[in-house]
């Protein structure tokens, strides 16, 4: 369950947080497919409880396994999966299987299902009192059974040790696999027993050959385990058969790029920093929780600090470590605020501006040139190792990827002006950060690589971006 099944010349997952299914389908066709994105993490598909102020986090309070949410219904979901797969873009669903919604006498869901959560009755599944761990709250992260057998934030805690509960979860996930999804993010995996999860994973169907997957392929699974050390539960309990979110990558990268650690130390980034093995790790700069101070979030780089954010994202995408994920956000001031919506609570579609950026309250980091061009960089250098590391013993760094790509970063408060080994064949290359190749010319900076592979690299402290990246052209 560790292979994301990207199609050829595609890679990197974008989290289209709170997007509607019909908008995602359009985005696959008009942008993600052509740009080489590998897949999408969707918001939860399962029916959730409706909360009056419509915070984003109502979607983490399931009320049934029906596919009806503010993102759309089952028909819209199936249409999206079909259209995205056709364009070489995979769908991974955020699966909320640790718990159901919380204490409310009469809860009503986005599909009209009801629940008496104080009586542990979820009529539309159905689940009853015997299907839950009851009577305690998650309070002690030094105690494994407290973390796994108690209620997280008061959310009704399913007992995955029960065959009936597992069967309901397995049926839900298999239904999604059968319509063509390629995998899952497992929400709150830390709060479930790894053995119970393995039983579930082993009963999942192979990916659907009807939707273009080769036979015998297992779904990609990345389990959300926030492990920054010092707790009873470790991410290393989860990476035997499936991938795990590596939160240390997010925290440490934000530290480094915000000046709490010198960039020269990134020389052994990855396992050398105590992270999970590269093939087991799903990595990101920020996610939907830590970008707004939820889920162990603290001082994480986000789109709000755009220059540093783009530098950290470029570093992540240029570096061979992990399966990379890009966050795509909506604007928010208040950490509870839901996505752009009309007065009836219907989500408003992103508009697309003439320059390709988004409007209507959507940030669309995945459409920023500095980010989508680095997604392509990663596709071009795929399979190569890191070589020719250079640093100035401070915050200016550069490295190469096996003769296919070169990146330099200036995190110091002075100019970078340096002749560096690029490892690329001689020629003139467009910097993909400051511009694109337009009508045969670089719209941004260009870099001339000599026959010795060396090039003069300049990133002034006054520049709009603190990165420069060049690569060979994609083969197809
Ligand atoms: C996750 N990973 O383990 C998600 O990534 C995270 O976004 C989810 O929390 C969490 N687990 C549960 O699925 C979010 C949000 C919480 C929110 C919950 C449930 O970060 O703040 O909790 O969803 O909606 C909210 C209130 C909280 C309240 C709870 C229950 O913020 O104060 O606790 O609902 O009413 C009494
Ligand atoms: Ca649990």
């Amino acid at each position: 369950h560790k292979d994301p099944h990207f199609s050829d010349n595609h890679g990197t997952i974008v989290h289209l947080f709170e997007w509607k299914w019909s908008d995602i389908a359009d985005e696959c066709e008009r942008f993600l497919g052509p740009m080489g994105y590998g897949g999408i993490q969707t918001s939860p598909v399962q029916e959730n409880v409706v909360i009056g102020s419509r915070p984003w986090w109502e979607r983490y309070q399931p009320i049934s396994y029906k596919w009806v949410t503010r993102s759309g219904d089952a028909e819209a979901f199936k249409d999206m999966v079909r259209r995205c797969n056709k364009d070489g873009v995979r769908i991974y669903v955020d699966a909320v299987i640790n718990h159901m919604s919380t204490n409310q006498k009469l809860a009503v869901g986005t599909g009209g299902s009801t629940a008496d959560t104080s009586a542990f009755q979820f009529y539309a599944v159905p689940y009853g009192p015997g299907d839950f761990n009851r009577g305690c709250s998650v309070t002690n992260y030094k105690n494994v059974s407290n973390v796994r057998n108690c209620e997280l934030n008061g959310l009704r805690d399913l007992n995955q040790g029960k065959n009936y509960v597992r069967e309901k979860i397995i049926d839900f996930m298999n239904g999604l696999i059968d319509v063509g999804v390629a995998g899952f993010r497992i929400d709150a995996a830390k709060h479930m027993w790894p053995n119970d999860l393995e039983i579930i994973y082993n009963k999942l169907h192979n990916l659907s050959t009807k939707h273009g997957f080769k036979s015998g392929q297992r779904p990609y699974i990345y389990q959300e385990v926030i492990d920054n050390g010092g707790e009873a539960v470790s991410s290393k309990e989860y990476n035997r058969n499936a991938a795990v979110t590596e939160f240390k990558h997010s925290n440490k990268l934000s530290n480094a790029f915000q000046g709490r650690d010198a960039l020269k130390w990134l020389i052994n980034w990855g396992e050398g920093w105590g992270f999970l093995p590269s093939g087991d790790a799903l990595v990101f700069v920020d996610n939907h929780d830590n970008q707004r101070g939820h889920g162990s979030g603290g001082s994480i780089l986000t789109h709000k600090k755009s220059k540093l954010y783009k530098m950290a994202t470029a570093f992540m995408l240029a570096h061979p470590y992990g399966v990379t994920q890009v966050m795509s956000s909506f604007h928010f001031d208040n950490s509870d605020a839901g996505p752009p919506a009309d007065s009836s609570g219907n989500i408003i579609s992103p508009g697309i501006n003439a320059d390709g950026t988004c409007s209507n309250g959507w940030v669309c980091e995945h459409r920023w040139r500095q980010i989508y061009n680095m997604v392509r960089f990663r596709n071009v250098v795929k399979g190569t190792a890191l070589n020719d590391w250079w640093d100035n013993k401070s915050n200016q760094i550069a490295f190469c990827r096996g003769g296919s790509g070169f990146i330099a970063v200036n995190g110091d408060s002075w100019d970078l002006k340096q002749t560096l080994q690029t490892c690329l064949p001689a020629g003139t290359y467009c910097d993909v950060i400051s511009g694109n190749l337009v009508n045969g010319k670089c719209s941004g900076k260009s870099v001339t690589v000599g026959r010795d592979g060396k090039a003069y690299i300049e990133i002034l402290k006054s520049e709009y971006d603190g990165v420069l990246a060049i690569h060979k052209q994609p083969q197809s």
Side-chain angles (χ1 to χ4, degrees), residues 98 133 147-150 157-158 160 191-192:
N98 173 63
N133 300 311
V147 172
R148 293 182 175 145
N149 291 345
C150 295
D157 197 57
L158 286 165
Q160 294 83 10
H191 300 277
M192 295 179 276

Side-chain angles (χ1 to χ4, degrees), residues 107-128:
V108 181
T110 43
S113 299
T114 57
D116 181 346
T117 57
S118 28
F120 295 84
Q121 291 288 357
F122 292 83
Y123 306 109
V125 181
Y127 284 137

Side-chain angles (χ1 to χ4, degrees), residues 56-57 60-61 99 102 153 185 187-188 224 288-289 294:
W56 62 270
W57 42 259
Y60 292 91
Q61 301 205 19
H99 55 262
T102 191
N153 283 336
R185 168 191 187 261
D187 180 68
E224 190 230 10
H288 75 279
D289 280 323
H294 282 240

Side-chain angles (χ1 to χ4, degrees), residues 35 56 65 102 117 140 170 256-257 263 294 318 331 344 349 383 386 410 469:
M35 290 310 195
W56 62 270
Y65 295 119
T102 191
T117 57
N140 182 2
I170 292 162
F257 278 85
L263 297 187
H294 282 240
H331 288 286
S344 330
S349 299
L386 188 156
N410 182 6

Side-chain angles (χ1 to χ4, degrees), residues 108-346:
V108 181
T110 43
S113 299
T114 57
D116 181 346
T117 57
S118 28
F120 295 84
Q121 291 288 357
F122 292 83
Y123 306 109
V125 181
Y127 284 137
D131 298 320
F132 293 88
N133 300 311
R134 295 162 60 184
C136 60
S137 309
V138 176
T139 50
N140 182 2
Y141 281 88
K142 302 268 183 203
N143 178 324
V144 181
S145 45
N146 176 267
V147 172
R148 293 182 175 145
N149 291 345
C150 295
E151 294 185 340
L152 170 66
N153 283 336
L155 300 160
R156 295 311 191 209
D157 197 57
L158 286 165
N159 178 359
Q160 294 83 10
K162 259 191 92 172
N163 189 54
Y164 176 80
V165 171
R166 287 197 303 265
E167 290 301 326
K168 288 292 171 193
I169 293 170
I170 292 162
D171 286 350
F172 165 60
M173 294 172 77
N174 277 336
L176 293 164
I177 291 172
D178 292 348
V179 305
V181 312
F184 302 92
R185 168 191 187 261
I186 305 296
D187 180 68
K190 181 197 263 186
H191 300 277
M192 295 179 276
W193 296 91
N195 286 343
D196 292 340
L197 289 174
E198 271 198 17
I199 299 173
I200 293 172
Y201 304 158
N202 289 336
K203 291 202 171 153
L204 295 178
H205 294 166
N206 288 334
L207 299 186
S208 169
T209 51
K210 269 193 277 179
H211 294 86
F213 295 99
K214 286 186 224 119
S215 69
Q217 308 268 33
R218 304 300 293 151
Y220 180 52
I221 291 178
Y222 52 108
Q223 305 163 97
E224 190 230 10
V225 178
I226 303 176
D227 175 4
N228 288 309
E231 292 183 10
V233 174
S234 153
S235 57
K236 301 215 163 75
E237 295 171 56
Y238 290 84
N239 64 331
R240 213 151 57 98
N241 291 319
V244 183
T245 54
E246 181 48 278
F247 276 81
K248 289 179 189 137
H249 179 285
S250 173
N251 285 295
K252 306 275 183 193
L253 204 58
S254 278
N255 278 344
F257 278 85
Q258 292 182 103
R260 298 193 289 264
D261 219 340
L263 297 187
K264 65 173 177 178
W265 299 120
L266 299 178
I267 186 169
N268 65 342
W269 185 243
E271 289 95 340
W273 280 59
F275 300 172
L276 292 163
S278 179
D280 299 354
L282 184 286
V283 299
F284 43 85
V285 177
D286 60 332
N287 79 348
H288 75 279
D289 280 323
N290 68 15
Q291 74 168 191
R292 46 175 51 69
H294 282 240
S296 95
S299 199
I300 295 291
L301 277 174
T302 73
H303 64 270
K304 296 187 183 193
K305 291 187 178 170
S306 62
K307 184 171 181 180
L308 293 176
Y309 186 68
K310 288 178 282 182
M311 290 164 70
T313 302
F315 176 84
M316 170 182 82
L317 291 170
H319 196 281
Y321 183 78
V323 170
T324 45
Q325 183 166 62
V326 166
M327 179 71 205
S328 188
S329 315
F330 54 81
H331 288 286
F332 63 91
D333 297 316
N334 170 334
S335 66
D336 292 327
D342 67 20
S343 55
S344 330
N346 302 306

